[in-house]
Amino acid sequence: MNEPQVAFLALYLIYIAIILLFHNTLLMYPFRLLTTFLHELSHAIACWITCGDVRAIRVYDNEGGVTSYVGGCRLLIIPAGYVGAAIWGSIFVMLSGGRKTATGAAGALVAMLLLSLCYAPNKTMVYLNLCWAVFTSIFIYLEWQVFTPILNYIVQFYGAFIGIHAIFDTYTDTVRRTVLQSDAYACYEECPCCMPRCVGIQWAILNIILQLAGIWIAMVQLSDDCEDEGWWACISGDMDMNMDGNKFWEWEENAAHSLEEWLRWD
């Protein structure tokens, strides 16, 4: 590993330690509310994708929230909350390694915070979104006008906290206990073949995988082989970029070659 990769992992582990120590304290309360907002926003995005109509997005000071909608595919909208929050966390982590990618992630967050205010927000959500939009915008300005790097560290912390909190939230709300109003129970009502706890376990495992994927992609982006490559070219597998210098998609080429040999023999 090179120095940027070591620094990234070290900082990530420091962030995890801070999150675990102060997760349920007042210090992390705004971050928990931010994760709740992204949970509800993910419901809304799934509704839009499945041609539904979002009527309201609201976040409450007890760290709960609700997304009111009409239409759409409930089997996709329901799991989008817990899994969607984890996806946001993964995206922030994977984009935190580069200056432009971190700026893109922060800018997208600011845009979502402001645009969601068009959907009948309550007072708590208005204050929450405006504060987070201003806070994140300040760091975007500082990154490009005052001092760099700084936004990378902020986006990385966003990703670490949101990802870990999504895992923790999924476990406490859907695996450790069964709540009749939970997303897991709603998913069970739509598809009775899978019990609520089983649904929660699947979401928790997926959320862990998403956070690990974010870390891995960020590490790839910070590798020496990706120094002169664009972000997409770096992760697309068109170049040599693993730790041993072997081709990233070598397994895919070997599988295709084996299949070709098998067809020729047949």
Side-chain angles (χ1 to χ4, degrees):
M1 290 194 294
N2 58 24
E3 289 185 9
Q5 289 174 321
V6 172
F8 173 87
L9 279 181
L11 188 60
Y12 184 86
L13 292 175
I14 291 171
Y15 284 162
I16 294 301
I18 293 172
I19 291 166
L20 294 178
L21 284 172
F22 300 102
H23 179 263
N24 289 321
T25 66
L26 186 62
L27 179 66
M28 295 297 173
Y29 178 67
F31 290 94
R32 296 197 300 271
L33 286 182
L34 176 63
T35 307
T36 300
F37 163 73
L38 293 174
H39 175 115
E40 299 305 328
L41 177 65
S42 298
H43 282 308
I45 291 174
C47 180
W48 289 323
I49 290 174
T50 57
C51 302
D53 182 22
V54 176
R55 300 295 176 85
I57 303 174
R58 294 175 181 173
V59 175
Y60 302 107
D61 54 12
N62 65 354
E63 300 176 33
V66 62
T67 300
S68 301
Y69 62 91
V70 176
C73 178
R74 281 180 57 81
L75 279 176
L76 293 179
I77 296 171
I78 293 170
Y82 289 107
V83 176
I87 291 174
W88 280 98
S90 178
I91 289 173
F92 287 141
V93 169
M94 73 173 65
L95 296 182
S96 66
R99 190 185 190 196
K100 292 181 179 179
T101 54
T103 302
L109 176 62
V110 171
M112 292 297 100
L113 287 165
L114 297 178
L115 289 173
S116 62
L117 295 178
C118 298
Y119 292 89
N122 58 331
K123 185 181 295 186
T124 299
M125 183 170 147
V126 171
Y127 293 150
L128 173 74
N129 287 27
L130 290 178
C131 287
W132 274 112
V134 171
F135 180 79
T136 305
S137 297
I138 288 172
F139 280 102
I140 294 175
Y141 173 80
L142 292 175
E143 172 69 29
W144 290 93
Q145 300 297 329
V146 180
F147 177 79
T148 185
I150 187 171
L151 189 61
N152 305 69
Y153 306 141
I154 299 300
V155 172
Q156 187 181 0
F157 185 80
Y158 284 3
F161 184 91
I162 293 166
I164 296 302
H165 185 66
I167 296 169
F168 178 80
D169 224 17
T170 303
Y171 172 74
T172 55
D173 292 348
T174 66
V175 178
R176 192 173 67 182
R177 59 197 174 107
T178 299
V179 181
L180 296 182
Q181 293 81 17
S182 71
D183 290 348
Y185 196 87
C187 197
Y188 161 72
E189 290 180 325
E190 292 294 317
C191 185
C193 63
C194 197
M195 299 300 291
R197 274 201 174 91
C198 181
V199 172
I201 290 171
Q202 293 176 60
W203 291 351
I205 293 173
L206 180 57
N207 291 356
I208 292 171
I209 292 173
L210 285 167
Q211 186 68 188
L212 293 175
I215 296 170
W216 178 77
I217 292 176
M219 290 288 286
V220 171
Q221 184 187 8
L222 292 169
S223 67
D224 292 333
D225 292 327
C226 289
E227 186 176 0
D228 299 320
E229 296 288 334
W231 187 84
W232 180 249
C234 183
I235 66 168
S236 63
D238 293 332
M239 57 174 293
D240 298 338
M241 60 183 179
N242 69 3
M243 301 300 179
D244 298 325
N246 298 320
K247 193 160 185 176
F248 177 64
W249 289 119
E250 185 177 1
W251 65 271
E252 184 180 14
E253 292 185 348
N254 290 339
H257 180 71
S258 299
L259 179 60
E260 183 181 347
E261 290 293 323
W262 181 79
L263 290 173
R264 186 182 297 117
W265 177 81
D266 189 56

